[in-house]
Amino acid sequence: MTAIDSLLAALSTGEARVIDLTAPLSPQTPILQLPPPFANTIPLSLEKVSDFDDDGPFWGWNNIHLGEHTGTHLDAPTHWATGRHGTAVDQIPPARLIGPAVVLDFSAEVAANPDFLLEPEHFEAHVAAAGPLPAGAWLLFRTGWSRFNQDAAAFLNADDRGPHTPGVSPAGAKWLAGSPITGFGVETVGIDAGQAGGMEPSFPAHNSLLGADKYGLTQLQNLDQLPPAGALVVASPLPIVGGTGSPARALAIVPA
Ligand code: 23J
Ligand code: MN
């Protein structure tokens, strides 16, 4: 048996299962809302081409309108000033889209404090307990935030001081940029915290990770169905030539 045969056998017996980490993509899917004077991206809309009608009697199809960073999506290095001369989404080596999942569960901390930030101490405590982060890992930040996926106001959680959603501190982002991970995945609308615009540097997760040729993966769900280690992540952005990111299907394969 090859390794692929073993995996396929495990999938057919239920010894391995596929978990969809992707949020449903609809016009209601929450979109990042940057404050003025910044421009914002668009939500999904479908434009009918035909619907089994005069425009196509035997077929239905739509044109899609959406941003590169709409819904569950991958951030490529070229999305950020620090990575703008780096890798566009179509240039990502496909092998880097697949890697071991390391899931850090901070849902209790985030339930108590929506502005919770990951610090180097959190990563160091994980490494002390579980060993070094594997090369090429997708580090997944489990916060429970995906429970708000269907409610844009709760998901974005903004007040007069801006959005309140969890993320990474500037020091935490630098720590991750120096680690062997491939990417950082979150349940929130972006890889940075809601309050990250006011940090130094602004948006430290984007700044440090995309500047270090690492990727972001956003608006994930079902992280509570993953083990802390032992799952495989498959991220599948479209190869938009020169694109700064892409809506993506994110899947995990987990052992039973
Ligand atoms: C542009 C500016 C700030 C942020 C973002 C985009 C994202 O979260 C994104 O989707 O990359 S925070
Ligand atoms: Mn993005």
Side-chain angles (χ1 to χ4, degrees):
M1 286 234 285
T2 68
I4 303 299
D5 292 331
S6 307
L7 176 60
L8 291 169
L11 286 166
S12 80
T13 60
E15 288 167 275
R17 288 186 306 128
V18 180
I19 308 287
D20 197 344
L21 307 182
T22 320
L25 185 55
S26 81
Q28 284 72 45
T29 302
I31 301 298
L32 181 71
Q33 306 287 340
L34 293 170
F38 304 121
N40 278 298
T41 195
I42 58 167
L44 172 79
S45 62
L46 293 181
E47 175 194 6
K48 182 193 75 129
V49 178
S50 74
D51 186 23
F52 308 95
D53 52 16
D54 289 345
D55 294 320
F58 307 131
W59 54 92
W61 53 347
N62 301 304
N63 293 321
I64 54 179
H65 297 262
L66 79 173
E68 293 173 327
H69 299 255
T70 297
T72 301
H73 70 272
L74 184 138
D75 289 338
T78 54
H79 175 47
W80 214 255
T82 48
R84 65 184 293 183
H85 302 298
T87 311
V89 70
D90 61 302
Q91 297 297 326
I92 294 174
R96 288 194 71 196
L97 296 172
I98 301 180
V102 174
V103 183
L104 300 186
D105 180 13
F106 285 90
S107 37
E109 288 81 354
V110 170
N113 172 21
D115 291 310
F116 174 82
L117 299 179
L118 286 169
E119 299 284 354
E121 298 72 55
H122 298 116
F123 301 128
E124 277 155 13
H126 172 83
V127 167
L133 295 174
W138 280 98
L139 188 74
L140 305 180
F141 182 27
R142 178 177 163 197
T143 56
W145 209 262
S146 64
R147 71 185 182 280
F148 302 127
N149 259 341
Q150 306 302 320
D151 177 346
F155 190 75
L156 300 172
N157 198 33
D159 63 16
D160 51 4
R161 292 180 304 120
H164 297 277
T165 58
V168 195
S169 75
K174 286 199 181 93
W175 192 97
L176 280 182
S179 80
I181 65 168
T182 273
F184 179 56
V186 301
E187 297 183 43
T188 46
V189 77
I191 59 169
D192 262 299
Q195 291 289 298
M199 294 178 189
E200 182 50 46
S202 284
F203 305 108
H206 284 83
N207 186 290
S208 292
L209 290 169
L210 303 184
D213 197 37
K214 301 189 186 299
Y215 315 134
L217 200 49
T218 68
Q219 218 166 331
L220 300 173
Q221 61 179 30
N222 294 328
L223 295 185
D224 56 340
Q225 295 184 42
L226 304 189
L232 178 84
V233 171
V234 181
S236 61
L238 298 175
I240 301 166
V241 175
T244 71
S246 167
R249 196 75 182 245
L251 303 174
I253 302 177
V254 303

